[in-house]
């Protein structure tokens, strides 16, 4: 990495970013690249988890090589592998698990939300441990003849697509408690196209049904003959995957920023992405309450706006404008449905835009790197 010796643009700024997901990692890299000021990115993992591609790893082992982007390759000495256990906004420092303190002039909280495996890796901070879990689940998936996925958000829909595309002989069923898939912001045409593609793949759909015995089931494991019960039916399968429930990663700042938390545990921010009541604390990505889809694309937009404002100076700050509603849902490599600026994207477009590599080239490229083959 090019560690610049030249003077920083803002010599008096010292930015600490807590969380190295899509928004935090990209913001840290951009600050270094443009030599804005001193920056420290703190994350307990040693690589940025490319969760958009996580499900492909279950059917294609070689995708593991693209799943984690090593922090040291694009952040260099500005990366600190640690967990933050507390923040102090009055004295402007964060406290790490080993009781070390890191001071700041500007704090960015980009800690995101935890999603259940396999769409997320929860509290797994060791890459080898995470990859071992994907390997074990892949082995179980190979043995399973009948797979049930619970949850029809984007993760659940994409997962049934990945499985059915690579293993067309398996019986794949999606159960969802609501009557719409992926997002209620998707229009009627989007929803009908999505249903059509799933049905063409011969994926069984049970919408408007809630699984009532989820806590009694063994998830992500090969267990022949497990019975999944909804209010309307009982289904037998060999593997159950739950793609429901995300929790805000807010434990380390709850005490200090409790008054800014909304009912979902997210940080309330103003139009400049400042946490309510705190001029020098910002929040980007899935951890804030900006009313837009929580995606890599929107996290990057927020990071770009934050950087532009710091570079311009406070008198020239521009408010963040929410990104256009975009939903691109691949159903395997070869099909899917998208919605962009009100226009439906067909399977060929979705496959070309996202389905083939699940944005690996773009995500690695945004960080100045090329993904491994």
């Amino acid at each position: 990495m090019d560690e610049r010796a030249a003077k920083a643009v803002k010599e008096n700024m010292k930015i600490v970013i807590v969380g190295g997901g899509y928004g935090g990692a990209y913001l840290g890299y951009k600050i270094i690249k443009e030599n804005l000021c001193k920056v420290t990115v703190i994350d307990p993992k040693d690589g940025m988890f490319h969760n958009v591609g996580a499900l492909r790893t279950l059917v294609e082992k070689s995708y593991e090589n693209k799943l984690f982007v090593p922090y040291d390759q694009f952040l260099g000495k500005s990366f600190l592998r640690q967990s933050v256990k507390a923040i102090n906004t009055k004295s402007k420092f964060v406290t790490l698990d080993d009781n070390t303190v890191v001071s700041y002039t500007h704090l960015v909280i980009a800690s995101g939300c935890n999603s259940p495996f396999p769409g997320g890796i929860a509290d797994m901070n060791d890459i080898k441990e995470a990859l071992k879990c994907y390997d074990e689940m892949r082995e179980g998936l190979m043995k399973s003849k009948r797979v049930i996925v619970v949850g029809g958000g984007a993760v659940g829909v994409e997962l049934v697509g990945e499985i059915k595309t690579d293993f067309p002989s398996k019986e794949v069923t999606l159960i969802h408690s609501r009557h719409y898939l992926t997002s209620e912001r998707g229009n009627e045409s989007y929803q009908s196209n999505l249903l059509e593609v799933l049905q063409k793949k011969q994926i069984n759909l049970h919408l408007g049904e809630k699984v009532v015995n989820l806590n009694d089931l063994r998830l992500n494991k090969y267990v022949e003959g497990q019975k999944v019960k909804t209010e309307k039916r009982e289904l037998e399968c060999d593997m159950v995957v739950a793609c429901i429930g995300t929790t805000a990663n807010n434990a380390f700042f709850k005490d200090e920023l409790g008054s800014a938390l909304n009912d979902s545990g997210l940080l309330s921010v103003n139009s400049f992405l400042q946490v309510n009541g705190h001029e020098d604390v910002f929040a980007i990505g899935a951890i804030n309450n900006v009313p837009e889809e929580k995606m890599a694309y929107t996290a990057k937009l927020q990071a770009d706006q934050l950087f532009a404002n710091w570079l311009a100076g406070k008198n020239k700050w521009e408010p963040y404008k929410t990104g256009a509603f975009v939903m691109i849902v691949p159903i395997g490599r070869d099909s899917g449905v998208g919605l962009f600026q009100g226009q439906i994207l067909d399977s060929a477009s979705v496959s070309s835009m996202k389905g083939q590599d699940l944005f690996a080239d773009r995500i690695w490229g945004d960080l100045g790197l090329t993904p491994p083959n």
Side-chain angles (χ1 to χ4, degrees):
M1 168 176 291
D2 175 19
E3 301 275 3
R4 298 190 182 186
K7 259 188 181 182
V9 177
K10 305 283 185 178
E11 284 189 283
N12 295 326
M13 284 182 71
K14 184 180 180 184
I15 298 171
V16 168
I17 302 171
V18 182
Y22 291 118
Y26 172 73
L27 179 59
Y29 171 71
K30 186 158 188 169
I31 290 168
I32 296 167
K33 182 183 177 184
E34 302 300 329
N35 199 22
L36 179 71
C37 62
K38 184 175 180 179
V39 62
T40 301
V41 179
I42 305 172
D43 195 282
K45 297 182 292 297
D46 57 0
M48 191 200 80
F49 177 50
H50 174 41
N51 67 287
V52 172
L55 304 178
R56 180 64 50 83
T57 306
L58 292 174
V59 299
E60 182 185 314
K61 181 175 173 59
S62 62
Y63 199 91
E64 289 180 349
N65 299 323
K66 303 176 182 180
L67 202 55
F68 291 92
V69 189
Y71 289 121
D72 60 355
Q73 291 187 22
F74 63 93
L75 295 176
K77 295 177 181 178
S78 294
F79 171 65
L80 182 59
R81 188 180 183 186
Q82 270 282 1
S83 293
V84 173
K85 68 178 182 180
I87 66 175
N88 186 317
T89 57
K90 185 176 181 180
S91 299
K92 295 191 176 183
F93 65 79
V94 301
T95 304
L96 309 180
D97 272 354
D98 64 0
N99 291 320
T100 302
V101 298
V102 182
S103 62
Y104 65 83
T105 61
H106 297 69
L107 175 64
V108 180
I109 296 175
S111 51
C113 295
N114 289 327
S115 300
F117 187 83
I121 54 173
D123 296 323
M124 285 185 274
N125 295 325
D126 183 83
I127 290 177
K128 289 182 179 178
E129 177 193 358
L131 293 180
K132 183 181 177 183
C133 289
Y134 282 106
D135 288 342
E136 290 174 350
M137 186 171 172
R138 189 185 313 109
E139 290 171 8
L141 186 60
M142 294 284 286
K143 296 177 188 175
S144 303
K145 294 180 180 179
R146 302 159 299 177
V147 181
I148 290 178
V149 175
V150 182
V155 174
V157 171
E158 290 188 27
L159 179 56
V160 294
E162 292 289 338
I163 296 170
K164 194 66 176 179
T165 299
D166 278 42
F167 305 108
S169 64
K170 295 187 187 299
E171 182 182 314
V172 180
T173 300
L174 178 65
I175 302 175
H176 187 43
S177 61
R178 303 189 181 186
H179 291 279
Y180 61 84
L181 293 168
T182 71
S183 173
E184 60 186 337
R185 295 176 69 188
N187 60 30
E188 187 176 335
S189 180
Y190 166 82
Q191 291 292 335
S192 62
N193 275 266
L194 201 53
L195 289 172
E196 182 181 344
V197 173
L198 290 167
Q199 288 162 354
K200 279 185 179 179
K201 287 272 185 183
Q202 296 185 315
I203 294 165
N204 302 318
L205 298 172
H206 297 296
L207 304 183
E209 296 186 31
K210 184 177 180 179
V211 174
V212 296
N213 67 330
L214 194 62
N215 292 336
D216 301 326
L217 301 171
R218 290 189 65 195
L219 303 178
N220 308 329
K221 305 286 185 184
Y222 172 72
V223 182
E224 188 175 356
Q226 281 205 93
K227 291 181 171 61
V228 177
K229 298 177 183 179
T230 74
E231 303 105 327
K232 297 181 180 180
R233 69 193 81 235
E234 181 175 290
L235 301 168
E236 199 169 275
C237 66
D238 308 313
M239 179 177 280
V240 183
V241 187
C243 298
I244 54 175
T246 60
T247 55
N249 190 3
N250 59 19
F252 69 95
F253 62 75
K254 262 186 173 181
D255 290 343
E256 189 75 359
L257 301 177
S259 62
L261 290 175
N262 69 7
D263 292 341
S264 299
L266 303 178
L267 285 168
S268 300
V269 296
N270 63 17
S271 60
F272 301 110
L273 304 174
Q274 293 167 298
V275 173
N276 287 356
H278 297 272
E279 185 177 349
D280 297 318
V281 182
F282 304 79
I284 61 172
I287 195 63
N288 71 25
N289 72 330
V290 174
E292 61 186 0
E293 302 299 312
K294 301 300 184 180
M295 301 183 290
Y297 151 73
T298 52
K300 183 184 174 186
L301 290 179
Q302 292 181 21
D304 277 331
Q305 187 62 63
L306 202 52
F307 178 88
N309 283 345
W310 286 334
L311 185 63
K314 195 161 186 178
N315 292 334
K316 298 179 180 178
W317 281 14
E318 295 286 340
Y320 174 71
K321 297 177 181 177
T322 55
F325 176 68
V326 179
M327 185 62 68
I328 302 174
V329 184
I331 301 174
R333 296 174 189 79
D334 57 358
S335 60
V337 177
L339 185 62
F340 178 67
Q341 294 183 344
Q343 300 298 310
I344 297 296
L345 303 177
D346 62 12
S347 282
S349 300
V350 171
S351 176
S352 174
M353 292 173 67
K354 182 179 177 183
Q356 291 300 313
D357 82 330
L358 299 173
F359 293 148
D361 283 348
R362 182 177 301 180
I363 295 299
W364 284 67
D366 284 343
L367 301 173
L369 301 172
T370 302
N373 291 326

